[in-house]
Amino acid sequence: MTSFAAPLRARSTPWPRPESSPGFGDPRFTITSRRVLRNGVPVLPVSGELHHLRVPRADWSRRLRLMRAGGITAVSTYVFWLWHQPVPGPADFDGQLDVASFVAEAEAADLDVVIRIGPWCHGETRNGGFPDWVQQAPVQHRTNDPAYLRLVDDWFSQLGAHLSGVLARENRVIAIQLENELYDQPDHIAMLQRIATDHGLVASVYTSTAWGSAALPKGLVVPLYGGYADGFWVDSDSGWDASFREHFFHSHVWDDPGIGADLRTSEKSGTDGRFAPELYPPATCELGGGMTVAYHRRPTVSGRDIAAVAHAKIGNGSAWQGYYMFVGGANPPGTQWQESHATGYPNDLPRFDYDFHAPIGAAGDLREAFGLLREQHTFLRDFGGMLTGMPSALPETMPKGLDDRSTLRWALRSDGRRGVVFMTWHQPLVPLADVESVQFDLQLCETTVRFPDRPVTVRSGTTARWPVNLDFGGIGVDWATASLIALTDGRVPLLVLGEEEGILGQVRFAGGVDVTEQVVGAERPWQGARLLRARSESGALDVLIIPFTLRGSLTVTPTGRVILAVGAVVEDGAVLTVEESDGTRPAEFCADSGEWVGRGHSERSTRRTAVVVTAHDPAAEPPATYGQFKRRASAPSSADVRRYGARWELDLRRAIDGDVLTISWMGDVAQLAVDGIPVADQFWNGSVWRIPVDRLAAGSGSRVELRVLPGHPESRVGIGYDGRSASLPVTAELDEAVLVSTARWRIDPASERS
């Protein structure tokens, strides 16, 4: 445990130069050197990746609405060339490939759209998304070679024609990304923009990825950055790489030299690894919403890890939060679409699985990260506009390096008069000790704020946003030791704060304010909130302080309804639907009475049905290796899985619509086949495998088989952050197979009145 004898100090820092305005974009979506404006109003957008090609079209609407319920404001999606034009000739935009219909579904879900058109995308796809015939063409790929540009021109022409009905009218497509992870071809990116524009592929702004010190054409594209807690693209025995660890610290460096480094062929760059503040604000498009696995390295990223990285970026000055992925998916059966050694990549990826351990999994299930990020996004929705006027300042005492586990990691965003203190005191693998005697001394333009009155202990795992000198409804809040979550309109404004673990949420009001306090929720499960009613001659404010134990269940909807519910609260007018619930009845906060009121009726109960399993072939002893490429272990083939894997037959005849097949297993590789044809797979890293039954397309007479390949003690496979935190099981085990459907609640004021 660490303690500090003196207060932790930071001085608010003014903007280094005037704001460039107008910046990039148009009146509906503008990017200046400091911030983003939506229809002229400062906002802090939150984008999240969903690949429409990896999610069944029938599920697009639900997934998009779950994203919106998680606080996402824009959906981002790749358009993979190889899916649409596998052979020369007319491109296919039917069914699952209908990009325009996906944009329409996003608009219906009240989401903006970012289209990443490549033409080289990566996204863990074969050839980076090039069709095989393009990959094999005698051209200089990803350059201004006229022969290559002719291929791109034809593709962009067909994509532009397909999207013409969307882009030619008022629409929600705010950005188009050109190329991906291209480091030394700024003239080529400028040419791609020209070709895209010629074919009607026009949005408010164009963007490009900027990590790896990429050289980009200034003034044409907005550079976007990334940050992952861990990644599959490093060697199996390389440990927890510094390029991952640094994202758990507060800093003003936005470049990440590690993302895509395994595919980088050039060390040329055009920047010093920082964003260009004279032109652009710091913005991201690939904060790790999770992580997929390669055969040789299989990271395990927790929800707290994901939330800590995202939280640190907000404190560091983020003007746009973007996640990759926010919704997981799967490659459909048929052609092998994934990145692999066979196509010259250093990583073997699962043939089907792209769940990514995302906040919304491939089966539509919610993970811990969903609730943690939802709270951050609610804060950005209600306070992001204010935050865009606050540059980030780092404290006087900074960590001495990536191994420093005693110096508190924090930052101040302030306009010199008011501000928010961000603490991000969490990292995986190497735990952080609690920090005692924490007190802040903030040097603002005209005053010094020291708080809290008495030093507190910041526990390991804390991510906090504490307000300083803010005014709400005419009531001044000097400071609070609870995180800002939401501010709702009403007869009396309601400020929602969340307590940190082990710290009593205190609020210091400005002088002349009378305060009364009441406990909210005397009975389980919604127990322990407090309501402060602050009144003065100049205004009124209610403050609802949510205990730490309830923060993961809190939703404050865009219309200001305060709900406690396990799951995702989807708002459609006055009707709320709670998806992925554990069956606990939701409660809504009533401001007049200051109490929680039970709401809604159950539309579906949680259901668990055991799958009848018949064991057939036992596992055979596997080889120590299935080969390697660039020093990385190669994955076994389907023939290897059949030869060495244990086999079970699964009886899914008791499945109903909406069921998810949930499999707990141990081994190396698992594969599901329907009537002998592989349709799903997973590389083991300790995660439970969830597959929607309808994705299996198994008829009543179909034979569904699970094969599990055992590991070998000499396998060069890394599991966990350090590549050594877990061992590859040397047995093939099926622990459990069940059909699961989760509870759903509907809160409809009309039905409750009747």
Side-chain angles (χ1 to χ4, degrees):
M1 183 174 292
T2 303
S3 63
F4 294 91
L8 302 173
R9 292 185 172 85
R11 181 183 299 273
S12 65
T13 305
W15 296 105
R17 54 186 57 82
E19 183 174 19
S20 65
S21 182
F24 297 83
D26 51 38
R28 71 179 173 155
F29 193 82
T30 305
I31 296 181
T32 75
S33 59
R34 296 182 185 175
R35 55 188 170 177
V36 176
L37 304 174
R38 191 79 167 82
N39 297 320
V41 178
V43 295
L44 210 158
V46 183
S47 56
E49 194 93 1
L50 181 161
H51 293 160
H52 62 283
L53 295 169
R54 286 170 162 152
V55 173
R57 181 166 179 166
D59 295 334
W60 285 354
S61 177
R62 179 175 182 269
R63 300 291 196 276
L64 290 165
R65 281 164 172 75
L66 287 177
M67 292 181 77
R68 186 64 179 165
I72 298 296
T73 64
V75 59
S76 175
T77 191
Y78 276 130
V79 180
F80 294 115
W81 189 356
L82 84 165
W83 294 66
H84 295 274
Q85 202 178 21
V87 296
D92 184 359
F93 295 102
D94 292 335
Q96 186 77 17
L97 304 175
D98 191 342
V99 188
S101 291
F102 178 79
V103 172
E105 288 280 13
E107 292 177 344
D110 193 24
L111 291 169
D112 292 329
V113 181
V114 178
I115 303 177
R116 307 173 84 181
I117 64 173
W120 191 90
C121 297
H122 196 200
E124 287 68 71
T125 57
R126 188 175 79 250
N127 309 327
F130 285 159
D132 291 343
W133 61 272
V134 172
Q135 179 75 4
Q136 297 160 7
V139 301
Q140 295 181 35
H141 297 85
R142 307 175 72 187
T143 72
N144 282 345
D145 175 4
Y148 172 67
L149 293 179
R150 282 193 292 272
L151 300 177
V152 174
D153 184 84
D154 176 70
W155 163 233
F156 278 9
S157 172
Q158 296 196 58
L159 179 59
H162 169 69
L163 291 174
S164 61
V166 174
L167 299 179
R169 59 172 174 78
E170 282 294 317
N171 64 79
R172 300 289 294 271
V173 180
I174 56 173
I176 291 176
Q177 179 181 304
L178 301 168
E179 252 287 342
N180 191 60
E181 298 176 351
L182 188 61
Y183 304 96
D184 59 353
Q185 297 285 327
D187 292 342
H188 178 55
I189 292 176
M191 177 61 72
L192 291 176
Q193 185 198 42
R194 193 176 312 159
I195 296 172
T197 302
D198 287 346
H199 293 299
L201 293 169
V202 179
S204 299
V205 297
Y206 292 93
T207 70
S208 285
T209 57
W211 48 79
S213 297
L216 301 176
K218 287 191 175 181
L220 292 180
V221 295
V222 176
L224 298 180
Y225 296 88
Y228 290 87
D230 198 1
F232 66 84
W233 49 82
V234 298
D235 290 338
S236 62
D237 57 355
S238 63
W240 189 27
D241 193 78
S243 63
F244 306 129
R245 296 175 65 186
E246 65 184 1
H247 294 297
F248 291 90
F249 288 76
H250 287 282
S251 80
H252 290 160
V253 176
W254 289 84
D255 187 30
D256 185 326
I259 306 175
D262 56 334
L263 301 181
R264 200 171 302 155
T265 58
S266 171
E267 294 301 324
K268 287 180 63 178
S269 66
T271 75
D272 63 356
R274 296 173 181 265
F275 68 95
E278 71 277 7
L279 292 175
Y280 319 102
T284 57
C285 64
E286 286 201 17
L287 298 178
M291 181 50 57
T292 194
V293 298
Y295 181 73
H296 76 280
R297 184 179 175 92
R298 310 175 190 184
T300 305
V301 179
S302 75
R304 282 180 175 265
D305 303 339
I306 295 164
V309 170
H311 191 264
K313 298 302 180 185
I314 302 172
N316 296 352
S318 174
W320 181 346
Q321 295 281 95
Y323 297 93
Y324 188 100
M325 302 284 298
F326 201 83
V327 179
N331 298 321
T335 302
Q336 297 193 26
W337 303 107
Q338 85 283 17
E339 170 184 329
S340 70
H341 291 175
T343 55
Y345 282 74
N347 312 299
D348 258 345
L349 273 291
R351 178 177 174 182
F352 303 104
D353 180 55
Y354 204 69
D355 174 82
F356 217 84
H357 300 86
I360 302 172
D365 52 313
L366 306 183
R367 292 194 171 92
E368 178 191 34
F370 181 88
L372 296 173
L373 293 176
R374 174 179 58 192
E375 181 186 292
Q376 292 184 21
H377 303 159
T378 302
F379 162 75
L380 294 178
R381 181 194 70 203
D382 290 357
F383 301 101
M386 173 192 75
L387 211 62
T388 63
M390 296 179 172
S392 171
L394 300 176
E396 290 182 2
T397 302
M398 292 286 291
K400 299 177 179 63
L402 297 183
D403 293 324
D404 188 336
R405 292 187 290 137
S406 59
T407 304
L408 189 68
R409 303 166 190 175
W410 66 286
L412 168 69
R413 289 190 71 164
S414 171
D415 60 9
R417 179 176 57 87
R418 55 187 181 162
V420 181
V421 169
F422 290 83
M423 287 183 282
T424 307
W425 193 236
H426 169 81
Q427 69 178 25
L429 189 65
V430 185
L432 302 173
D434 295 349
V435 181
E436 292 184 325
S437 304
V438 172
Q439 191 177 41
F440 297 98
D441 198 335
L442 309 180
Q443 307 293 316
L444 305 183
C445 288
E446 298 180 357
T447 185
T448 298
V449 178
R450 177 173 291 188
F451 82 105
D453 290 335
R454 296 182 179 180
V456 297
T457 296
V458 175
R459 291 191 181 179
S460 178
T462 295
T463 53
R465 304 171 298 275
W466 289 358
V468 177
N469 282 357
L470 299 185
D471 184 274
F472 307 99
I475 300 294
V477 173
D478 291 342
W479 51 262
T481 56
S483 285
L484 289 167
I485 296 179
L487 180 66
T488 73
D489 294 327
R491 184 175 54 83
V492 175
L494 177 68
L495 175 66
V496 183
L497 303 176
E499 286 187 329
E500 323 305 338
E501 186 175 16
I503 299 177
L504 177 67
Q506 293 180 276
V507 181
R508 169 63 61 83
F509 293 97
V513 176
D514 294 325
V515 181
T516 59
E517 179 176 339
Q518 71 181 80
V519 176
V520 180
E523 299 180 1
R524 294 180 183 278
W526 313 126
Q527 198 172 31
R530 292 180 290 134
L531 178 65
L532 309 181
R533 298 192 185 272
R535 304 291 185 266
S536 73
E537 294 182 357
S538 58
L541 176 70
D542 289 344
V543 180
L544 180 63
I545 303 176
I546 304 295
F548 177 77
T549 53
L550 295 183
R551 283 175 63 174
S553 302
L554 177 71
T555 295
V556 183
T557 72
T559 59
R561 298 174 69 177
V562 181
I563 307 293
L564 285 178
V566 176
V569 180
V570 180
E571 187 172 39
D572 184 12
V575 178
L576 304 180
T577 302
V578 182
E579 297 269 9
E580 295 294 306
S581 172
D582 69 346
T584 304
R585 189 184 189 196
E588 183 168 4
F589 178 71
C590 178
D592 291 338
S593 66
E595 286 294 340
W596 300 113
V597 179
R599 289 281 191 251
H601 64 274
S602 174
E603 286 195 327
R604 184 179 67 206
S605 300
T606 298
R607 174 179 176 271
R608 291 176 60 88
T609 305
V611 173
V612 176
V613 176
T614 303
H616 288 287
D617 307 324
E621 182 177 351
T625 178
Y626 301 95
Q628 65 175 6
F629 181 69
K630 295 187 177 181
R631 296 183 58 250
R632 296 182 176 180
S634 297
S637 66
S638 290
D640 292 324
V641 175
R642 289 193 299 271
R643 179 177 181 181
Y644 301 109
R647 180 170 66 98
W648 295 268
E649 188 169 344
L650 309 182
D651 184 349
L652 302 184
R653 287 177 297 177
R654 299 175 66 188
I656 62 174
D657 288 345
D659 271 357
V660 173
L661 174 61
T662 303
I663 301 174
S664 299
W665 67 283
M666 293 182 68
D668 182 6
V669 173
Q671 186 180 88
L672 272 173
V674 176
D675 296 328
I677 300 174
V679 295
D681 60 356
Q682 187 182 51
F683 295 166
W684 187 85
N685 75 339
S687 301
V688 173
W689 192 11
R690 293 170 58 86
I691 313 103
V693 171
D694 56 9
R695 209 190 89 204
L696 299 178
S700 59
S702 296
R703 186 179 76 258
V704 180
E705 292 181 324
L706 170 70
R707 293 181 187 265
V708 175
L709 185 69
H712 191 281
E714 298 178 14
S715 296
R716 294 182 58 188
V717 172
I719 299 177
Y721 281 96
D722 58 355
R724 298 178 295 274
S725 60
S727 299
L728 192 62
V730 295
T731 60
E733 300 179 17
L734 171 58
D735 296 328
E736 183 182 50
V738 294
L739 298 167
V740 177
S741 61
T742 55
R744 181 170 62 218
W745 290 81
R746 181 180 176 87
I747 303 174
D748 186 346
S751 63
E752 290 186 6
R753 283 195 299 271
S754 62

